Amino acid sequence: MGGRTLIQYIRNQNKSDVVKMLSRNVDDSNEASLVAKAIIEDVKARGDIAVNAYTKKFDGATIDDLQVSQSEIDEAMQVVSVDLKEALQEAANNIRKYHEQQGSNSYFINEKDYRLGQIVKPIANVGMYVPGGRAAYPSTVLMTAIPAKIAGVKELVMITPPKADGTIQPSLLVAAAFAGVDKIYKVGGAQGIAALTYGTETISKVAKIVGPGNSYVAAAKKIVSSVVGIDMVAGPSEIAIIADKEANPAFIAADLMSQAEHDEDAAAILLTDSEALAEAVKMELAKQVEQLSRKSIILEALSKNGAIVITNSIDEAIDITNELAPEHLEILTTNAVDVYGRIESAGAIFIGEYSPEPVGDYFAGPNHTLPTNGTAKFASPLSVTDFQKKTSLVYYSKEALEMRKDAIELIAEEEGLTAHANAISIRFKR
Ligand code: NAD
């Protein structure tokens, strides 16, 4: 480990100092933004030619046909093991069952002389980004596509960068088929986001783009967000764990590292009122990391954004957690249900020793695209609502308007908007 601290200890600090120490300055990478901007302009100008040139440059692939064919999907179905297909299908069923409870509904207020309403419609065409650079994430395909399809999105287009041989990881194609994705294109990065935003000869433009990606993808989404809708721009992943002396240190260490392996900027924080537990977790971290394939990423994440916070009480741990508003929160205390009832802000809460975060990442049903970097104070997990839009409806009869015209005109005059007042009064002039 070259003298690097495995994980920092924080103790004897007041609450606001702890929160300050744990709040990350997530780099808004100006460099990625400049690169993304240039790529977007180029794709806007040159369409498919630019798309294919960047795919060659960044992914090393020469692409003849941007769209994944039905025979490629059929082949993926053959290649992926029966066991993995069954696991993905079961996860898909769980995710569908959970998300079917979501979404806004249309409603109407009917009075005898007027009618008001809120009409909910699906967004007609949506592009979903599935990362494909360093790893393949079939779970992300399910988590994004299933709520979109429940909302009723007609044209759900998936993009993902191809491997150097021009193919897509078969499990991604299988997950896309299970989730009902309509079209899949072999393009990633800022060029993919640009293609979905402006359209190319092959790829039709969409109304909204969702899905996680690296810094170039995130920068590109921010840039195009004045032209298309986007979901939240997710930052690096985080986990906080509240635990007391009864908790199992081996489980805690394993769970902290399951987040830390995502990337070097991931954050993993234990809040406990037990010195003995803190020590035991630290020993478990050192022991278990040796067995893990992403050891170097984990060690960097733990040393940069990992912490064991010794609090005076579990109450204090709860207060700090509410200020942090972590993306993922595990509660491993004897009175976990009571603790969970006092959590104000977290993306997802996992209760008890047998609900480790990967259960939620892959399988249980709730969405794994969650607000990061403290945004759980105001933002929510990806849901069916993200794929819906609302239109309001007003119908007034002549009698209804006549009865209320003075009030409306009065407000218009107060605002100095006489044309507004006139549009009411003209209807009742003889
Ligand atoms: P990615 O698909 O996001 O990025 C790969 C693409 O980045 C390449 O195809 C290329 O176009 C572009 N790129 C790479 N280097 C570039 C450069 N120098 N200049 C311009 N463009 C460049 O895949 P990734 O890199 O593996 O990143 C995936 C990210 O998504 C990770 O940060 C991961 O943690 C995150 N993720 C998040 C969730 C979630 O739910 N929040 C789920 C899965 C993955």
Side-chain angles (χ1 to χ4, degrees):
M1 277 155 50
R4 182 168 56 177
T5 352
L6 173 66
I7 190 163
Q8 66 169 323
Y9 260 71
I10 300 177
R11 56 158 69 76
N12 300 329
Q13 301 279 344
N14 70 37
K15 191 180 82 182
S16 59
D17 284 343
V18 174
V19 172
K20 228 180 270 164
M21 290 167 89
L22 294 178
S23 301
R24 278 176 300 176
N25 250 337
V26 177
D27 178 22
D28 227 6
S29 184
N30 199 27
E31 184 261 345
S33 178
L34 290 175
V35 172
K37 202 169 171 38
I39 294 173
I40 291 167
E41 288 306 320
D42 194 16
V43 171
K44 200 172 160 185
R46 295 197 298 145
D48 283 345
I49 290 177
V51 162
N52 286 330
Y54 289 115
T55 302
K56 178 83 200 152
K57 181 173 174 186
F58 296 124
D59 307 307
T62 304
I63 300 296
D64 297 324
D65 210 342
L66 266 171
Q67 187 174 354
V68 170
S69 66
Q70 187 55 49
S71 63
E72 285 173 282
I73 297 170
D74 295 342
E75 202 184 313
M77 284 289 184
Q78 300 298 319
V79 173
V80 172
S81 72
V82 172
D83 287 349
L84 180 56
K85 273 188 293 203
E86 280 178 9
L88 288 170
Q89 186 72 75
E90 199 177 341
N93 293 344
N94 294 345
I95 295 165
R96 195 169 286 116
K97 185 173 171 191
Y98 179 83
H99 287 80
E100 271 167 358
Q101 299 294 325
Q102 299 178 336
S104 302
N105 291 315
S106 297
Y107 65 83
F108 296 94
I109 296 170
N110 292 312
E111 297 293 339
K112 71 176 189 319
D113 54 352
Y114 68 86
R115 185 168 204 222
L116 308 175
Q118 170 179 281
I119 303 162
V120 180
K121 295 246 157 102
I123 299 175
N125 32 38
V126 170
M128 52 181 270
Y129 190 90
V130 176
R134 292 196 286 184
Y137 304 97
S139 60
T140 299
V141 177
L142 299 179
M143 293 286 180
T144 315
I146 291 172
K149 277 294 166 186
I150 290 172
V153 171
K154 281 201 192 68
E155 177 97 334
L156 181 61
V157 177
M158 168 173 143
I159 62 166
T160 189
K163 296 193 274 192
D165 65 2
T167 65
I168 305 285
Q169 181 76 12
S171 62
L172 295 182
L173 300 183
V174 167
F178 287 169
V181 170
D182 296 294
K183 284 180 183 156
I184 307 169
Y185 294 104
K186 298 173 182 176
V187 53
Q191 59 277 18
I193 300 297
L196 289 173
T197 305
Y198 296 104
T200 69
E201 296 85 339
T202 312
I203 302 174
S204 301
K205 62 181 177 187
V206 299
K208 184 165 185 175
I209 302 172
V210 298
N214 65 13
S215 57
Y216 300 99
V217 174
K221 276 171 70 181
K222 271 191 208 158
I223 292 167
V224 301
S225 65
S226 56
V227 184
V228 286
I230 61 164
D231 60 346
M232 65 191 119
V233 176
S237 203
E238 309 146 3
I239 186 169
I241 301 178
I242 301 178
D244 62 15
K245 66 178 188 332
E246 303 299 330
N248 182 326
F251 293 179
I252 294 173
D255 295 2
L256 290 171
M257 291 192 288
S258 75
Q259 266 316 291
E261 81 167 342
H262 271 298
D263 63 81
E264 295 84 353
D265 291 322
I269 295 159
L270 167 65
L271 302 121
T272 181
D273 59 351
S274 163
E275 280 277 352
L277 182 82
E279 237 358 88
V281 169
K282 196 172 171 190
M283 280 168 62
E284 278 292 337
L285 287 169
K287 190 173 100 189
Q288 289 183 33
V289 76
E290 296 302 325
Q291 315 300 324
L292 298 170
S293 64
R294 292 166 73 103
K295 177 180 162 185
S296 66
I297 295 177
I298 293 170
L299 288 175
E300 187 166 349
L302 287 181
S303 71
K304 276 192 349 199
N305 293 305
I308 296 178
V309 184
I310 317 275
T311 58
N312 293 316
S313 61
I314 291 297
D315 285 352
E316 197 188 3
I318 294 171
D319 287 349
I320 294 170
T321 301
N322 279 332
E323 279 308 305
L324 288 175
E327 181 190 19
H328 306 94
L329 172 66
E330 286 187 5
I331 304 175
L332 299 171
T333 58
T334 34
N335 57 349
V337 173
D338 172 52
V339 172
Y340 125 81
R342 293 163 57 205
I343 299 301
E344 293 297 327
S345 297
I349 301 174
F350 300 82
I351 300 175
E353 289 203 319
Y354 292 91
S355 317
E357 195 214 298
V359 177
D361 277 347
Y362 295 132
F363 202 74
N367 212 280
H368 77 193
T369 301
L370 299 165
T372 57
N373 205 26
T375 58
K377 281 194 173 173
F378 57 84
S380 311
L382 186 74
S383 77
V384 170
T385 323
D386 290 296
F387 300 97
Q388 295 178 314
K389 61 198 181 59
K390 296 162 191 161
T391 303
S392 43
L393 182 78
V394 178
Y395 164 72
Y396 261 37
S397 66
K398 184 179 176 194
E399 295 69 32
L401 186 60
E402 189 158 27
M403 201 185 301
R404 296 160 181 99
K405 71 179 185 13
D406 293 349
I408 301 166
E409 283 175 34
L410 211 55
I411 297 170
E413 277 155 21
E414 172 62 18
E415 294 194 351
L417 299 178
T418 50
H420 278 62
N422 183 55
I424 304 291
S425 59
I426 198 167
R427 289 173 156 74
F428 300 99
K429 273 184 191 140
R430 303 252 142 232

